[in-house]
Amino acid sequence: IKGVTPDPNFPNFPHAVREWCINTAAVDPSTKSILANSEDGTLYRWDLVGNKFSERIPLTAGIGEAYTPTIIGTDGTAYAINDAILFAVGR
């Protein structure tokens, strides 16, 4: 990752940064990307070819929610759990 990530949720604090809390990630070899479920209620796709975030998929609206590992199914669907809810995200 190239430096800190500014946090747009706190516009009155110009130096606020987002802290990433990711403890596991799922590799999707078919799209050459990594999916990571964070405690901010979002599933992030990191494009390995371009070395950048390529997709942000909101799961829930919470900050500080419990998060668990994300897996890739045999059909390419990503499965993630956030706030005790199972999400299935197609490619």
Side-chain angles (χ1 to χ4, degrees):
I1 297 179
K2 299 176 182 178
V4 297
T5 304
D7 193 334
N9 294 322
F10 299 97
N12 295 332
F13 298 95
H15 301 292
V17 295
R18 178 155 295 174
E19 181 178 290
W20 295 94
C21 299
I22 299 170
N23 62 359
T24 60
V27 177
D28 185 353
S30 65
T31 61
K32 295 182 175 87
S33 64
I34 295 173
L35 291 164
N37 189 6
S38 182
E39 68 179 6
D40 66 355
T42 304
L43 184 66
Y44 294 93
R45 183 181 300 273
W46 183 267
D47 174 33
L48 295 170
V49 176
N51 196 28
K52 64 181 178 179
F53 282 116
S54 61
E55 188 175 15
R56 180 181 184 277
I57 305 163
L59 301 178
T60 58
I63 295 283
E65 292 179 350
Y67 60 98
T68 58
T70 301
I71 62 169
I72 308 296
T74 56
D75 63 351
T77 300
Y79 296 91
I81 297 176
N82 239 82
D83 198 27
I85 301 168
L86 176 64
F87 294 88
V89 181
R91 289 195 256 195

